[in-house]
Amino acid sequence: MTQTDPNGDLTAQVTWNSDGLVPAIAQDYKSGQVLMMAWMNRESLALTASEGIAVYWSRSRGKLWRKGESSGHTQLVREMRLDCDGDTVLLLVQQQGGIACHTGRSSCFYRVLEDGEWRVKQPVIKNPESIYK
């Protein structure tokens, strides 16, 4: 799924921040819609590449987070890309259940700036209280 350096370490070409993390953007592989942004550490990046399911690093919980582990809305990884500076990962994913956001929407980017105000432009697909029990 991913290209590794000559020594077999796919994390070697990544430019990690001072916390050992890299931002990861999840994008729908068919529509191109940007679904969410999260953080990855070396372990989560390697697990994502080997398992084919998005695994992130939760800064608030201080642990690995398999997307959809509590909601069932996993992300099947179709392709992984690294930007030109090596400091951002792009995951092209198939979003299970059509919901990527903890608010019950298809994308975390559901607010649009219009006339100086952030306006909600995406409906809630499923009430978060029924997703996270």
Side-chain angles (χ1 to χ4, degrees):
M1 180 183 289
T2 60
Q3 183 180 21
T4 60
D5 78 349
N7 299 318
D9 181 6
L10 68 95
T11 67
Q13 295 180 41
V14 176
T15 303
W16 304 96
N17 72 12
S18 59
D19 294 322
L21 302 173
V22 65
I25 305 294
Q27 181 178 21
D28 184 276
Y29 84 108
K30 282 187 178 176
S31 72
Q33 180 185 32
V34 175
L35 302 175
M36 58 176 279
M37 178 273 175
W39 295 94
M40 294 181 124
N41 64 7
R42 289 177 189 272
E43 185 179 7
S44 64
L45 181 65
L47 286 169
T48 297
S50 66
E51 295 177 6
I53 296 173
V55 181
Y56 300 106
W57 176 256
S58 173
R59 296 179 304 162
S60 61
R61 293 175 281 196
K63 67 177 194 169
L64 292 174
W65 157 50
R66 282 175 169 73
K67 177 67 178 160
E69 64 191 358
S70 59
S71 68
H73 301 136
T74 57
Q75 293 175 338
L76 305 178
V77 178
R78 298 297 181 206
E79 186 173 295
M80 294 175 69
R81 297 182 182 197
L82 186 63
D83 79 335
C84 58
D85 296 321
D87 63 2
T88 305
V89 171
L90 176 65
L91 302 178
L92 299 177
V93 302
Q94 181 180 347
Q95 179 66 57
Q96 301 301 291
I99 298 173
C101 186
H102 73 280
T103 65
R105 293 176 172 88
S106 63
S107 169
C108 293
F109 296 94
Y110 59 87
R111 293 179 277 196
V112 176
L113 185 63
E114 290 182 343
D115 300 322
E117 293 185 35
W118 293 107
R119 299 181 195 227
V120 173
K121 291 293 188 170
Q122 200 177 90
V124 172
I125 296 170
K126 191 170 185 182
N127 185 327
E129 292 176 9
S130 67
I131 297 171
Y132 304 100
K133 299 173 181 160

